Amino acid sequence: DTFLLLRRAGIAAESTMYEATGGVNTHKGAVYTMGVLCGSLGRLWRADAPFADTKQLLKECGKLALVSLKKDFSCITNEPATAGERLYLERGITGIRGEVAAGLPSVFKHSLPVFRRCLSEGYSSNDAGVVALLHLIAEVEDTNLYRRGGVEGAAWAATAAAALLPDPSMEEIEALDEEYIRRNLSPGGCADLLAATYFLHKLEKKTSAD
């Protein structure tokens, strides 16, 4: 029931996005991810502990999204309506919906720890996010990369990102960014997960301060 209410709000938010962008999908995945995160926060909220534990929150996200994920993908026909549905039929990739239904493992295991480490080493919040994004690109099957570059382009993007790890320089990252642009590759799904990374870090920071 909670997820159905969140889905209505998400559809309304997507409509607002499309109106603002002239029909361009700039952050549909972020609408979904942040919606489930906020809904999960609301379900777990207590007056004495508004936010207690990142792991518990992400587990709740998975519980909220899993039933819908199974239902959505079981209804896909041989004529998929979206690029995401086509990728699921062709390669079994579930995209951001699968990531959230699994409890955002790419964020919990990769981008959030990397982001924390970089901040502890003196990186700015922006530069820590850049390095965390690179780790996500290396790990995540990003449907936007598949849509832009096909299987070959997505594989190249992930391999190129992984080649710079674990401690890339900003000059190396800028050069890779320019090459992504040249090849018309955009890791939009990873960018949505990076937004969740910032969100969770802010929650943790506020909780520890309180």
Side-chain angles (χ1 to χ4, degrees):
D1 291 343
T2 302
F3 189 85
L4 290 176
L5 292 171
L6 290 171
R7 173 163 274 178
R8 291 179 198 168
I11 291 171
E14 287 176 10
S15 177
T16 300
M17 174 192 74
Y18 284 128
E19 288 177 9
T21 64
V24 178
N25 174 17
T26 55
H27 57 277
K28 189 174 180 179
V31 170
Y32 181 86
T33 306
M34 299 302 291
V36 176
L37 276 168
C38 289
S40 298
L41 271 173
R43 285 172 61 85
L44 296 174
W45 186 92
R46 298 200 325 261
D48 61 328
F51 173 66
D53 180 76
T54 299
K55 188 174 183 179
Q56 183 184 12
L57 173 61
L58 296 183
K59 183 178 180 180
E60 188 71 14
C61 286
K63 287 165 59 179
L64 267 180
L66 184 58
V67 173
S68 173
L69 173 80
K70 292 178 178 178
K71 183 178 179 181
D72 288 349
F73 284 106
S74 68
C75 295
I76 296 176
T77 67
N78 290 328
E79 296 182 3
T82 67
E85 290 182 357
R86 185 177 68 253
L87 279 171
Y88 175 73
L89 288 177
E90 292 175 354
R91 305 188 64 82
I93 296 172
T94 55
I96 193 64
R97 286 181 284 184
E99 176 75 17
V100 175
L104 290 165
S106 298
V107 173
F108 188 72
K109 296 178 182 179
H110 299 288
S111 61
L112 192 55
V114 168
F115 186 76
R116 294 183 191 125
R117 173 180 65 81
C118 288
L119 289 178
S120 72
E121 294 175 357
Y123 284 69
S124 68
S125 180
N126 179 80
D127 288 356
V130 170
V131 177
L133 177 62
L134 200 65
H135 279 260
L136 286 169
I137 296 169
E139 293 291 337
V140 174
E141 289 188 305
D142 190 321
T143 55
N144 203 52
L145 284 173
Y146 277 95
R147 185 176 64 83
R148 289 285 192 95
V151 174
E152 183 178 340
W156 180 88
T159 300
L164 300 185
L165 301 178
D167 295 304
S169 69
M170 287 301 147
E171 290 76 15
E172 289 174 321
I173 294 174
E174 288 172 1
L176 180 60
D177 180 49
E178 291 176 1
E179 185 62 18
Y180 281 170
I181 293 170
R182 190 186 73 79
R183 294 176 181 237
N184 195 34
L185 296 172
S186 174
C190 292
D192 296 335
L193 294 173
L194 181 63
T197 303
Y198 275 99
F199 181 71
L200 289 168
H201 174 71
K202 290 286 188 181
L203 281 174
E204 294 174 341
K205 187 176 180 182
K206 184 179 187 305
T207 302
S208 61
D210 292 344

